[in-house]
Amino acid sequence: MESDSRPPPYYENYAYQPENVAPSRHGGGYTYPSYTSPYYTPSVPHYIPRVSTYHSTPVPSVVQPKSSSAECTPRTKTIMYVCIAISILLIAGIAAFLVWYFVTDSCSGSKIKCGTTGKCVTPSQWCDGIRDCPNGEDENRCVRLFGPDFLLEVYSSESKDWYPVCYDDWNDQHGKTACEDMGYNSNTYVSSQAVPFMDASKGFMKLNLSAGDIDLYKKLYNSKWCSSVRLVSLRCIDCGMSTKRIKPRNRIVGGTAASLGDWPWQVSLHARGTHLCGGSIITPEWIVTAAHCVDGAYSNPYYWEVFAGILKQPEMMFSKGHRVKKVIPHPEYDSSSKTNDIALMKLQFPLVFDEFVRPVCLPNPGMMFQPRQQCWISGWGALRQGGNTSKVLNAAVVPLIDPDICNDRYIYNGLILPTMICAGYLKGKVDSCQGDSGGPLVTYRKSLWWLVGDTSWGTGCATQYRPGVYGNVTVFTEWIYRNMQANR
């Protein structure tokens, strides 16, 4: 292979549609860092905002009734023309309102909606110490979970940094409020626990009990002293639990059929009655998938049905799926480079969790996923390149690959950006394929399953020196929480 060669055209992992390969980029020595900034500024050539496609009601044709008695008088014609004009204006007004509503509801570009007020603000306006949203959502929900121990952290707009929360005077009601501020429903709240801290040099956020009945954020203040010598560990949802036994078994292309309860967060996304993509449950109402799955006309939420807790596709044909209320693709998704290939779906009604339907844990800031770490992929994708999608859910073990290796000129030649993760084998044989897009790439750590990536793209399926490429969910965790907050 010549040094300046590029990969052949690759296939998007849904609907068997070939894509032109993205332009070659200079390879960079990327690692899997801890992204402390709420948003990663992508390197994209351009961005064209998309507007959800909706079918407007066609204007009915007016048919004059036949009359055998007499012709229409001028007065009758005038009245008829006025009625027609009023009808057309009324229908046009309704159509204009619907277009305005859906466009403003989505917030164009990278903006986020302020609750139900309709106002949109930029990501940089969140947690900057200035109240930009009418109800202050951009300043009173500056909370996050950090690391594998789910440490609660609060952002201080004064010092422009994140601080852990001292366990002094903390209780479950404060915990539920913090979870709601991250976009979770208080019904999924699990617990607030005290964990010892190792480094106190940074300081803490501490409760001011004399502050009265005000927002949690306003009750917290910076302090260098924590008498309990413990921090708040907050579990907003019982995530990452599975009946899966950790035994590496190879195959999606060349894989093994899954059992009920192995991957309870895995869902099948049907558009117009056909499986197109996979997705991952993160709350009873929210699904993570790939942005390319909902591109173009597929951004219409009414096209989609979500099936959870079912292993076989034929069974879904006779089951009632969950309808989708809202589709939120990442605003900086670029279809040519596949950067920021992630999207959210909000369901019309929440899922009911059981041992076969459960959420996966989002990776918290501060978590590090190292090359060669064992991960699992799952989906109903094709068992071979160009083949039909599988009738049963399959799973495979794939290790993470160092981005420097994946960006080698003989592999992906600089196409792997920090918004992406490579996983698989350079020799091929095991990989995701068409129909697996949007599905989970997960790893097992501290007795929990974590969502490391969402299936994005690759050259062929299980091809030598062309491993699978996945959206790097660690980069998007803050974006996910912000949209959950803004669309509660």
Side-chain angles (χ1 to χ4, degrees):
M1 182 181 293
E2 296 178 3
S3 61
D4 62 347
S5 63
R6 298 179 181 179
Y10 61 79
Y11 288 84
E12 256 185 8
N13 288 332
Y14 89 98
Y16 319 117
Q17 300 199 6
E19 289 280 344
N20 294 325
V21 69
S24 178
R25 297 172 182 264
H26 296 292
Y30 299 119
T31 58
Y32 302 99
S34 168
Y35 287 86
T36 55
S37 173
Y39 287 84
Y40 165 75
T41 304
S43 173
V44 294
H46 65 280
Y47 165 62
I48 302 175
R50 294 186 305 278
V51 177
S52 299
T53 304
Y54 294 86
H55 294 293
S56 59
T57 305
V59 179
S61 58
V62 180
V63 180
Q64 295 184 14
K66 294 182 180 180
S67 174
S68 59
S69 57
E71 293 183 1
C72 294
T73 64
R75 176 181 174 82
T76 303
K77 289 182 178 179
T78 301
I79 294 173
M80 181 181 66
Y81 291 149
V82 170
C83 291
I84 293 173
I86 292 174
S87 299
I88 293 174
L89 289 173
L90 183 61
I91 293 172
I94 293 173
F97 171 78
L98 291 173
V99 170
W100 170 84
Y101 175 82
F102 286 117
V103 170
T104 55
D105 185 60
S106 62
C107 286
S108 61
S110 61
K111 293 183 178 180
I112 297 176
K113 186 179 176 183
C114 293
T116 59
T117 63
K119 182 176 179 180
C120 299
V121 298
T122 61
S124 61
Q125 290 174 289
W126 284 71
C127 307
D128 63 354
I130 302 173
R131 181 169 165 163
D132 296 294
C133 289
N135 296 325
E137 297 97 326
D138 58 315
E139 297 305 316
N140 59 22
R141 294 179 181 174
C142 302
V143 295
R144 73 178 186 183
L145 301 177
F146 185 84
D149 293 323
F150 298 92
L151 293 179
L152 176 62
E153 290 191 335
V154 176
Y155 185 77
S156 171
S157 57
E158 295 179 2
S159 54
K160 308 295 183 184
D161 202 356
W162 293 89
Y163 292 87
V165 177
C166 174
Y167 195 74
D168 292 358
D169 303 311
W170 190 264
N171 58 39
D172 282 332
Q173 188 55 50
H174 297 318
K176 289 181 180 180
T177 302
C179 287
E180 289 176 344
D181 286 346
M182 279 184 284
Y184 287 101
N185 190 310
S186 61
N187 294 332
T188 67
Y189 174 79
V190 179
S191 65
S192 291
Q193 296 181 338
V195 295
F197 59 82
M198 304 300 294
D199 183 11
S201 60
K202 189 176 181 180
F204 316 92
M205 295 296 280
K206 195 173 180 180
L207 279 171
N208 178 10
L209 294 183
S210 62
D213 187 19
I214 59 176
D215 292 339
L216 174 64
Y217 186 70
K218 296 177 182 177
K219 291 181 180 180
L220 295 167
Y221 66 96
N222 285 95
S223 175
K224 290 290 184 180
W225 176 252
C226 179
S227 60
S228 65
V229 199
R230 294 181 297 175
L231 303 176
V232 176
S233 172
L234 184 61
R235 294 296 303 275
C236 295
I237 193 167
D238 191 14
C239 63
M241 304 299 292
S242 165
T243 59
K244 172 72 177 173
R245 293 183 178 180
I246 311 302
K247 291 183 179 179
R249 296 184 296 175
N250 290 337
R251 294 177 56 177
I252 285 187
V253 169
T256 11
S259 300
L260 272 173
D262 281 358
W263 318 108
W265 44 82
Q266 171 82 57
V267 294
S268 173
L269 305 181
H270 284 217
R272 297 176 174 178
T274 302
H275 168 83
L276 285 189
C277 284
S280 303
I281 301 169
I282 56 172
T283 79
E285 298 171 313
W286 289 98
I287 307 295
V288 171
T289 187
H292 77 256
C293 290
V294 297
D295 204 14
Y298 290 100
S299 62
N300 189 334
Y302 302 107
Y303 286 170
W304 293 97
E305 271 189 301
V306 176
F307 292 89
I310 303 176
L311 294 180
K312 299 179 180 179
Q313 286 291 329
E315 293 180 11
M316 298 178 195
M317 301 302 172
F318 303 98
S319 303
K320 186 177 181 180
H322 297 266
R323 305 301 304 183
V324 175
K325 180 179 181 180
K326 182 172 290 189
V327 172
I328 307 175
H330 196 286
E332 272 82 44
Y333 166 66
D334 183 77
S335 59
S336 60
S337 67
K338 292 296 183 291
T339 190
N340 301 306
D341 192 8
I342 194 167
L344 290 170
M345 286 184 175
K346 185 175 185 181
L347 303 179
Q348 289 185 2
F349 301 101
L351 297 167
V352 177
F353 288 165
D354 55 32
E355 62 179 319
F356 305 132
V357 180
R358 289 177 175 169
V360 66
C361 294
L362 287 173
N364 298 322
M367 294 189 68
M368 304 290 286
F369 299 116
Q370 302 296 334
R372 295 184 294 279
Q373 183 162 335
Q374 291 292 295
C375 295
W376 280 255
I377 49 176
S378 53
W380 289 271
L383 302 179
R384 60 180 177 82
Q385 183 175 332
N388 295 324
T389 52
S390 173
K391 292 182 180 179
V392 299
L393 181 66
N394 290 291
V397 179
V398 288
L400 297 182
I401 300 176
D402 190 309
D404 285 340
I405 294 175
C406 222
N407 265 327
D408 185 271
R409 61 183 179 178
Y410 295 113
I411 302 178
Y412 281 124
N413 196 24
L415 298 179
I416 307 304
L417 304 176
T419 59
M420 307 172 189
I421 290 180
C422 271
Y425 303 89
L426 296 182
K427 63 182 180 182
K429 298 184 180 180
V430 180
D431 196 8
S432 53
C433 201
Q434 291 94 346
D436 289 320
S437 270
L441 171 75
V442 297
T443 194
Y444 192 70
R445 186 173 177 183
K446 286 216 166 186
S447 302
L448 294 174
W449 290 94
W450 303 84
L451 185 63
V452 179
D454 66 284
T455 305
S456 183
W457 63 276
T459 302
C461 302
T463 306
Q464 188 177 21
Y465 300 125
R466 299 291 184 267
V469 184
Y470 303 81
N472 185 354
V473 177
T474 58
V475 177
F476 305 120
T477 302
E478 292 293 338
W479 176 82
I480 292 171
Y481 280 133
R482 295 276 169 91
N483 279 280
M484 285 170 55
Q485 291 168 6
N487 294 279
R488 282 202 300 150

